[in-house]
Amino acid sequence: MRLLLVEDDPGLSRSLKADLERAGFAVDLAMDGESGEFLGMTESYDIVILDLGLPKMPGLEVLRRWRQAGNHVPVIVLTARDAWHEKVDGFKVGADDYLGKPFHIEELQARIQALLKRMHGMMQAQLCGCGVALDEDRQTVSVDGAEHVELTAIEFRLLRYFMLHPGKLLTKTHLLEHVYECDGDPASNVIEVYINRLRRKLGKDLIATRRGQGYIFGDKP
């Protein structure tokens, strides 16, 4: 899953980026409101973590511009602990959730996972489908109740994205956009390589190839 982090504090942004990457996200970082607004309008993200106290353009204005342009990407707003009015203003312009500073990274990760599942209509605690159970904390997978198998970072990102979009035809370009950061430079066949690795761990039938179109996880669309 591809995530945009808009946070101007250098120390906090570095630590959050590293923690979120370890949690299986491809993270792009913007250090001011103008850069964040531009990336959010021009790149494809699954979720955004948006601080409100940003230089060049306030976070609320960034969010307002996205929503006015029809950009409905899920957004978690970061606010000062006692700034209840900022939380209200954030919800009014289209925030999906908020988290007060300071916070524990585990709570942020839990809110991200819960929001992503809710946006995709999945209410179960664990991401499951087609006999596949994905443990997002341990980054392991089990098929038909068998023993959990470890996944690499890219395998985990790719499988999680497939499982959040079961039965949908996903092109190679689309998958690349949601698995790698914007400054990543993967090889042209990297998606095929990792899909073949997933097939060896999950079974060859769970991810189907549509020649010249893309890939489908689980049921046919």
Side-chain angles (χ1 to χ4, degrees), residues 36-66:
E37 192 263 347
F38 176 78
L39 284 173
M41 293 290 280
T42 58
E43 299 289 335
S44 181
Y45 293 102
D46 298 291
I47 194 165
V48 176
I49 310 301
L50 176 66
D51 185 35
L52 294 187
L54 297 169
K56 297 187 179 180
M57 185 186 299
L60 281 178
E61 180 61 24
V62 172
L63 181 55
R64 184 179 292 109
R65 292 190 182 191
W66 286 343

Side-chain angles (χ1 to χ4, degrees), residues 164-175:
L164 287 170
H165 300 83
K168 294 183 179 180
L169 181 63
L170 302 173
T171 67
K172 182 172 71 172
T173 299
H174 184 90
L175 291 169

Side-chain angles (χ1 to χ4, degrees), residues 3-68:
L3 181 151
L4 173 61
L5 172 62
V6 190
E7 169 60 61
D8 66 311
D9 183 283
L12 179 59
S13 61
R14 282 195 301 269
S15 65
L16 284 178
K17 188 175 190 296
D19 287 334
L20 291 168
E21 286 174 342
R22 282 192 292 270
F25 292 93
V27 182
D28 292 337
L29 175 61
M31 300 288 289
D32 61 71
E34 287 184 357
S35 299
E37 192 263 347
F38 176 78
L39 284 173
M41 293 290 280
T42 58
E43 299 289 335
S44 181
Y45 293 102
D46 298 291
I47 194 165
V48 176
I49 310 301
L50 176 66
D51 185 35
L52 294 187
L54 297 169
K56 297 187 179 180
M57 185 186 299
L60 281 178
E61 180 61 24
V62 172
L63 181 55
R64 184 179 292 109
R65 292 190 182 191
W66 286 343
R67 296 308 191 229
Q68 288 177 345

